[in-house]
Amino acid sequence: MGIESTYEIHQNAYIKLVLHASKHKTSAVNGVLLGRISGDSAVVEIVESVPLFHSQIGVLPPLEIALIMIEEYYCDKGLSVVGYFHANERFDDSELGSVAKNIADHIYKYFPQAAVLLLDNKKFETLSKEGKDRSPVMQLYTKDTSRSWKLVGSDGSSRLKIKQPSANVILLDFISSGKWKDIIDFDDHLDDISKDWVNTELFN
């Protein structure tokens, strides 16, 4: 595949994804990553994220509607879909399942440097208790030469970084203050179209 890509996720994009998983702890949740290739072609900058679903994961019609709306909205901002986020239903499940792989495969067709970020529940729990780690509470998967999704290293930390070092401090503050209750995903928006799936007010 040539040069291996590295991935830099912006603070707000990162926080939205973890808050979404925190709001729906007993469900699998997913989201889409938006960004651009930054500078040289080896760095993928994940600028934004959109929480997708907590009850209709893998159901094609809502997913297609969501992706069309997301792409139209962010295209004007110079961003495109660059990856996929998934959090498993069970705390002890650290595998990238077939539903996640299928959605990621769809994104890969259009963006071969696509990343899949899987929430690392154990790392997130440790962060919540100790609050010291600055690295992302996510595992990075990319497609290898055999076209399979593979975990990058033991935790992917060398190729996945958060742009702002203080992101986990702010994340923990948002969780302790109950800010996770305010996160809106596409399930919420499809139930009530007045709900803002862009989450414009979340960081205000």
Side-chain angles (χ1 to χ4, degrees):
M1 255 175 67
I3 298 171
E4 292 184 330
S5 298
T6 56
Y7 300 85
E8 184 178 66
I9 186 167
H10 287 219
Q11 177 174 284
N12 289 4
Y14 170 75
I15 288 173
K16 271 194 276 186
L17 296 171
V18 184
L19 289 183
H20 185 215
S22 299
K23 183 175 181 179
H24 303 286
K25 287 181 180 176
T26 58
S27 305
V29 303
N30 62 358
V32 68
L33 314 175
L34 296 120
R36 56 186 168 239
I37 293 173
S38 175
D40 60 61
S41 59
V43 180
V44 177
E45 192 177 4
I46 303 165
V47 180
E48 265 296 353
S49 67
V50 176
L52 287 175
F53 304 109
H54 61 270
S55 67
Q56 302 188 74
I57 286 187
V59 179
L60 203 54
L63 177 64
E64 289 179 334
I65 291 167
L67 287 175
I68 289 167
M69 290 177 66
I70 291 165
E71 285 169 346
E72 284 181 352
Y73 180 86
Y74 283 103
C75 181
D76 292 341
K77 302 178 185 304
L79 303 177
S80 57
V81 175
V82 298
Y84 173 74
F85 170 80
H86 194 91
N88 288 322
E89 181 178 356
R90 295 197 334 270
F91 177 85
D92 61 350
D93 184 358
S94 59
E95 297 295 316
L96 192 66
S98 58
V99 170
K101 287 176 182 175
N102 289 340
I103 298 172
D105 283 343
H106 176 74
I107 293 169
Y108 176 83
K109 287 179 193 173
Y110 300 96
F111 189 72
Q113 290 166 274
V116 175
L117 303 182
L118 180 68
L119 184 70
D120 186 329
N121 285 314
K122 290 180 180 175
K123 196 170 181 181
F124 182 34
E125 182 183 52
T126 302
L127 175 70
S128 301
K129 288 177 179 175
E130 299 175 7
K132 294 174 184 175
D133 199 345
R134 289 190 168 195
S135 62
V137 292
M138 298 170 183
Q139 297 175 339
L140 170 66
Y141 287 77
T142 59
K143 277 218 171 183
D144 64 8
T145 49
S146 66
R147 309 201 103 193
S148 302
W149 291 102
K150 291 287 172 65
L151 178 63
V152 176
S154 58
D155 60 2
S157 61
S158 61
R159 286 175 55 196
L160 174 66
K161 292 184 168 57
I162 309 173
K163 188 174 177 70
Q164 295 86 357
S166 60
N168 279 340
V169 175
I170 294 166
L171 170 64
L172 292 175
D173 180 58
F174 273 27
I175 289 170
S176 64
S177 64
K179 196 87 170 173
W180 52 269
K181 296 173 188 172
D182 299 333
I183 199 86
I184 293 166
D185 65 11
F186 251 91
D187 266 335
D188 301 322
H189 176 74
L190 292 175
D191 287 341
D192 178 357
I193 60 168
S194 69
K195 291 188 174 180
D196 175 25
W197 57 266
V198 180
N199 288 282
T200 312
E201 297 298 315
L202 190 66
F203 298 98
N204 291 345

